[in-house]
Amino acid sequence: MKRTGIKLFIGVAAVITVLGVLRYRPFGDFTGSRAEVIHKGGNKHADRELTVGFLPVTCHLTCPVTDFASKTTETNTNFNSRVFTDFPTVVSALEAKQVQATFMIVPLAMKLREQGVPVKICYLGHRDGSQVVVGKNSKIRSLVDLKGKKVAVPSLFSNQNFVLHKLMSDYQMQPNDINFVVLPPPDMPTSLAAGAIDAYFVGEPFCAKAELDGVGRVLYYARDIWPNFISCALVVHEDLIKSQPDMVRDLVRGIAQSGAWAETHRAEAAKLVAPYYRQDEKVLNYVLTADPKRVSYVNLTPTDKDLARIEDMGLSMGLLTKRTPMNELIDRKYVPEVIREASIDVAQIPTPNK
């Protein structure tokens, strides 16, 4: 029974995972291969490098920003970000230690820790930045209108799934009133447009993409359901923490500083990450600049209270089966006491290919 939850999760997404592997070839040399390095810079000071996993969602945006910054400033470590399309593939890569640091949905990190995978949450991705999207011309106006409908989430172990079930309880709906399916975030807007799903709850920019394409509209903003909503975190394997603590310190500092920079350089951040995300800069720019409250990159040190709330929801749903002590789940010692903006020369940011 120990691995039932993860097996269910991987089983639901198996076909989609295989397609993701074939399409993006996410496996290979994760220890520092430059095969997919997006930016190269003049940093001659770095004497080591680390590949960090991410999905092309805005709660992982600080990963490619840190990649860029590490190659254009004098740092000890070059960070190469590696794009995935779904979380089952991330889980497999992390369990096999093909990546030892990655961004991941928080409840999934909790489940891995529960099952004995030695990972720690070292920092958060961002706050808010997820929305519930329905068809632009649909008659859906509230959660109760989704009864009997098909709703996509990025994972059964996503906070999006947890929060939707909490909202269903608030509306006195039953857990099986909505048919939940797991889809990779990049596939959600097209699935909505094709009528394969009726709604989805996911991180940006895949909500904004449906809006800009004229196929979707926002039913709920995450911040209205759960203020300061948390989706993802930087998760680091304990083997790396034990063997390379200075590298982990470099990484967490870089992620924190990248968040501080992105908060005040939103248009520049959209331009910087577009080639990493393989997405249109205008969609990312819309997410980051149209409404600054849509996503926030400050206040990202993980707290016991934040994570205990998520854990409580997972336990109530039966997706988590036991409590994990917060000192086993969180490692805050690498978060800098003073978080400064990353030193990024915006003139060095290349214009993305159209």
Side-chain angles (χ1 to χ4, degrees):
M1 296 294 293
K2 185 177 181 182
R3 301 185 65 83
T4 299
I6 289 291
K7 286 182 178 178
L8 171 63
F9 160 64
I10 293 177
V12 171
V15 174
I16 295 166
T17 302
V18 171
L19 292 175
V21 172
L22 292 174
R23 181 172 51 179
Y24 282 87
R25 297 173 290 111
F27 289 115
D29 179 8
F30 283 85
T31 59
S33 170
R34 293 184 176 273
E36 291 193 14
V37 171
I38 302 297
H39 291 300
K40 297 181 180 180
N43 181 12
K44 305 299 183 184
H45 184 70
D47 55 9
R48 58 196 178 192
E49 59 185 12
L50 177 72
T51 296
V52 184
F54 78 103
L55 268 67
V57 287
T58 54
C59 45
H60 300 188
L61 178 141
T62 52
C63 183
V65 173
T66 301
D67 173 318
F68 182 89
S70 74
K71 296 178 177 66
T72 56
T73 58
E74 292 297 311
T75 57
N76 290 328
T77 311
N78 274 339
F79 295 106
N80 299 324
S81 57
R82 190 68 172 258
V83 66
F84 292 81
T85 60
D86 54 62
F87 288 108
T89 314
V90 174
V91 169
S92 298
L94 186 61
E95 287 185 316
K97 293 200 293 186
Q98 291 173 310
V99 291
Q100 294 191 75
T102 185
F103 280 78
M104 176 181 290
I105 39 182
V106 168
L108 186 53
M110 292 177 169
K111 189 65 182 179
L112 289 174
R113 186 78 205 196
E114 176 187 289
Q115 294 182 336
V117 181
V119 294
K120 293 267 195 174
I121 291 173
C122 294
Y123 206 61
L124 300 180
H126 68 20
R127 301 238 180 209
D128 304 319
S130 290
Q131 341 298 347
V132 179
V133 176
V134 298
K136 181 178 180 179
N137 299 318
S138 76
K139 296 181 180 179
I140 298 168
R141 293 290 181 268
S142 73
L143 191 74
V144 294
D145 295 328
L146 287 170
K147 188 172 182 179
K149 304 293 187 182
K150 190 178 293 185
V151 178
V153 291
S155 165
L156 298 180
F157 292 96
S158 64
N159 214 22
Q160 286 86 354
N161 187 40
F162 285 18
V163 170
L164 274 183
H165 277 82
K166 172 62 169 60
L167 192 60
M168 289 170 66
S169 177
D170 293 343
Y171 276 85
Q172 298 182 330
M173 296 173 66
Q174 299 303 309
N176 60 355
D177 280 346
I178 291 176
N179 300 316
F180 288 96
V181 297
V182 174
L183 283 179
D187 291 346
M188 292 185 182
T190 53
S191 296
L192 182 70
I197 57 174
D198 301 289
Y200 59 85
F201 188 14
V202 77
E204 295 286 8
F206 299 107
C207 309
K209 179 167 176 53
E211 289 183 275
L212 294 176
D213 287 349
V215 300
R217 57 179 169 81
V218 174
L219 181 66
Y220 294 105
Y221 290 93
R223 66 175 184 260
D224 295 330
I225 304 173
W226 176 0
N228 293 314
F229 175 84
I230 295 169
S231 176
C232 294
L234 174 66
V235 175
V236 182
H237 201 287
E238 279 196 273
D239 286 359
L240 183 66
I241 293 174
K242 293 174 182 177
S243 65
Q244 299 279 359
D246 289 341
M247 181 183 286
V248 176
R249 183 171 288 105
D250 269 357
L251 173 61
V252 177
R253 181 177 62 248
I255 295 294
Q257 291 179 345
S258 292
W261 178 83
E263 182 71 16
T264 60
H265 295 78
R266 290 171 174 262
E268 294 87 351
K271 181 180 179 181
L272 189 158
V273 304
Y276 290 92
Y277 279 32
R278 304 167 186 174
Q279 293 173 1
D280 190 337
E281 178 190 348
K282 72 178 182 181
V283 178
L284 293 159
N285 187 278
Y286 175 78
V287 173
L288 295 175
T289 66
D291 178 4
K293 293 189 295 184
R294 194 160 180 150
V295 55
S296 172
Y297 292 98
V298 296
N299 188 27
L300 300 182
T301 299
T303 70
D304 289 7
K305 183 178 179 180
D306 280 331
L307 270 60
R309 184 177 180 184
I310 297 172
E311 186 179 60
D312 287 345
M313 288 190 288
L315 289 167
S316 70
M317 293 171 63
L319 288 171
L320 299 177
T321 59
K322 65 179 181 181
R323 293 194 180 277
T324 300
M326 289 298 155
N327 66 336
E328 294 182 12
L329 184 65
I330 308 171
D331 192 337
R332 287 182 283 255
K333 67 176 174 287
Y334 297 108
V335 179
E337 291 185 9
V338 178
I339 298 174
R340 300 179 175 86
E341 291 186 7
S343 298
I344 294 176
D345 182 356
V346 297
Q348 294 188 48
I349 301 174
T351 300
N353 294 328
K354 299 298 183 182

